[in-house]
Amino acid sequence: MAYLAGRMLVSVEAGAPNNGRSADTTARVKYATVRGRRHPYVSAQAVRRWIRDGMVRQGVPASPVTRVGKAQQRAQKANTDADPITYPDDDLFGYMRAGAKKDDDATTLRDSPFMLGTLLSVTPAHPTEDFGVMARGVSEPVLHGHEFYSADLAAPFLLDLPRIGTFTLPNAHGVGRPNYLSQEAALQVARAAALGAGAESFRGQDSVRLPVAERRRRAALLLESIAHLHGGAKQALHYGDRVPHVIVLVPFHGGVNPLTHVITGDEEGLRIRGDVLRGELEAWAGEWEAPVRIGWRPGFRDDLRERFEKECAAEIADRTVVIGHPRTILLELAAEMRDGTTLDHWFEDPVREPVREPVR
C-alpha cells in the first residue's frame, strides 16, 4: 500500500473554531455557499495547524518560521527553515521558500505528503450572533459580537506514505522540483548522515531517502497528533472537543479516496453509510488492504452507528471492518507503524504487473 486514505468528522457544538474577517465589531465564522445555502467550515490550513501544534506538544521541535519582506519593502513572506531532514513538520506538511525570480536556485519547495480537505458542514447551518458588552470598569461600554454554530463537519485526507522522508532531486530540466532538495545539501547535512540517509530512485527520479525507521516514526507522529487533536478559535468562550467523532481509514494502492460519500449529509441531517462503504470496497477490489479502521466516539449518534453496524455486519464479523474509539484506532495504528514488523510495505509503492503491449 502506498496511501492511507481517510475521512474524518468533527462535531462542533456551539463553537466558532475558525473565524473569517470581522465585520464592524462582529467576528464572523467562515462559511461556503452550497446550492444556495450556508455551510460553515474550518479551513484545511487551520486543521493542519492544529495537527502541527499537536506534534510539538509531543516533543517534536517545529521548524522555525521567519517573516521577511517588510523591512526590505518587498512582498511579505513567512518561511519555515525548509529543512525536512531536521524537522518532521517540514517533511510532512511541505513548504515553499521562494527566492527572487532572477535567482531561481534560491527557490526550494516540497509538496505535502499529508493532504487534507476543508472541514465542511455536511448540512446547512445558520450561525447565531452573540452580542456582548465590555462594561467592567469603563464609563462607556464597548460593544462587540461574534458568530457561533453547531454542525457536523467532514473532511477527506490522504497520506502518501512512501514520500515521507523521501526527497526527489531535480534533473537538468527541473523535473522533480515539487519535492526539491539538492543532493549535495541533503547528504552534507550531518543529521541526515547520522540518520542513515541514502540515495535511491523514487518514482522514476533520483532521490535522497531517510531510513524506514525514521519515516515510520514521522507517519506515527502524525496519527498520534490527530488522536490528541485540539485547537481553534474562541476556546475561552466555547472550548470544544476537536478529537474526531468519527474517522475512517483505509490503506490504498493509488492516490484516490473512496470515502467521500461514506460520511455525508442530506435533508435529514448527518449520514454515515455502510452500504456506500461496501459498494466502494467492492468497486476497488484489489486496490485496498483490510482491515478498514473506523473510529466512532461512544455516545455519538448511536442511531447512525446501529444502522451502520447492521449494514456492515458481515464485514465486522470477519474483521474486514474494525470499529473502536478514534483515539484507540489511531494510536494502535501508529504503534503498529512504529513496530515495523507488519506495515513496512506501506512505505513502498506497490509492485504492479507491467502493462503489456497489444499483440498486432
Side-chain angles (χ1 to χ4, degrees):
M1 296 298 135
Y3 297 87
L4 185 62
R7 189 162 175 83
M8 70 169 75
L9 180 137
V10 175
S11 186
V12 173
E13 182 178 348
N18 192 205
N19 288 326
R21 288 185 177 180
S22 297
D24 298 325
T25 58
T26 301
R28 305 292 183 187
V29 300
K30 292 180 177 177
Y31 70 90
T33 301
V34 180
R35 301 184 186 93
R37 297 186 292 184
R38 296 180 67 175
H39 289 243
Y41 72 88
V42 176
S43 71
Q45 180 188 21
V47 181
R48 286 164 64 91
R49 169 70 185 273
W50 301 351
I51 299 171
R52 207 165 184 145
D53 288 349
M55 291 173 58
V56 174
R57 286 192 293 273
Q58 294 178 69
V60 180
S63 181
V65 177
T66 305
R67 193 169 188 268
V68 297
K70 186 174 182 179
Q72 297 81 12
Q73 296 185 330
R74 298 189 310 217
Q76 297 181 47
K77 304 170 186 174
N79 296 324
T80 69
D81 262 18
D83 180 358
I85 292 174
T86 304
Y87 300 107
D89 61 334
D90 269 349
D91 180 10
L92 292 166
F93 295 95
Y95 51 81
M96 184 178 75
R97 187 169 185 163
K101 290 184 179 178
K102 64 180 180 180
D103 186 14
D104 189 52
D105 287 340
T107 299
T108 180
L109 63 153
R110 172 172 175 76
D111 52 7
S112 172
F114 178 61
M115 292 153 266
L116 174 72
T118 299
L119 264 176
L120 180 67
S121 172
V122 297
T123 57
H126 303 282
T128 296
E129 184 173 325
D130 182 48
F131 176 72
V133 176
M134 174 55 187
R136 187 175 63 250
V138 295
S139 57
E140 296 184 12
V142 177
L143 309 182
H144 60 87
H146 75 278
E147 293 180 333
F148 67 93
Y149 60 91
S150 295
D152 297 318
L153 315 180
F157 62 89
L158 189 73
L159 182 59
D160 185 349
L161 292 156
R163 200 149 55 75
I164 296 172
T166 304
F167 315 106
T168 54
L169 308 172
N171 64 20
H173 305 291
V175 175
R177 295 198 69 81
N179 301 289
Y180 168 77
L181 189 72
S182 75
Q183 188 170 19
E184 182 181 2
L187 295 178
Q188 286 183 351
V189 175
R191 181 167 176 77
L195 290 170
E200 294 187 17
S201 177
F202 178 70
R203 295 179 185 172
Q205 295 176 354
D206 292 338
S207 66
V208 173
R209 181 175 250 188
L210 297 179
V212 68
E214 176 62 14
R215 294 189 285 124
R216 284 192 224 123
R217 184 182 78 93
R218 294 183 176 193
L221 282 170
L222 185 80
L223 298 179
E224 289 160 354
S225 181
I226 297 173
H228 296 83
L229 192 64
H230 77 88
K234 295 290 183 186
Q235 292 188 63
L237 292 177
H238 296 297
Y239 178 46
D241 186 1
R242 304 292 175 245
V243 172
H245 288 69
V246 179
I247 191 166
V248 185
L249 301 166
V250 57
F252 230 72
H253 274 167
V256 299
N257 193 318
L259 305 173
T260 301
H261 301 294
V262 173
I263 300 176
T264 184
D266 60 16
E267 297 297 331
E268 297 180 356
L270 173 66
R271 298 190 69 185
I272 303 176
R273 301 184 58 180
D275 61 329
V276 171
L277 177 61
R278 295 180 65 182
E280 290 285 0
L281 295 179
E282 183 178 342
W284 292 98
E287 294 292 315
W288 56 278
E289 180 177 302
V292 178
R293 295 167 173 82
I294 297 178
W296 198 312
R297 301 281 293 274
F300 177 72
R301 296 304 307 268
D302 288 336
D303 56 331
L304 297 182
R305 181 165 181 166
E306 182 178 356
R307 179 187 302 176
F308 180 89
E309 291 182 351
K310 285 181 179 177
E311 291 171 339
C312 293
E315 288 77 11
I316 293 171
D318 66 15
R319 295 191 64 76
T320 300
V321 172
V322 296
I323 303 180
H325 192 287
R327 171 181 162 80
T328 306
I329 289 289
L330 287 161
L331 293 182
E332 287 181 350
L333 180 56
E336 200 171 348
M337 281 185 176
R338 284 180 185 272
D339 180 59
T341 56
T342 58
L343 300 184
D344 271 5
H345 63 289
W346 287 13
F347 292 83
E348 300 290 345
D349 284 330
V351 177
R352 294 179 182 274
E353 292 293 326
V355 177
R356 297 183 177 179
E357 294 293 330
V359 178
R360 298 179 183 279

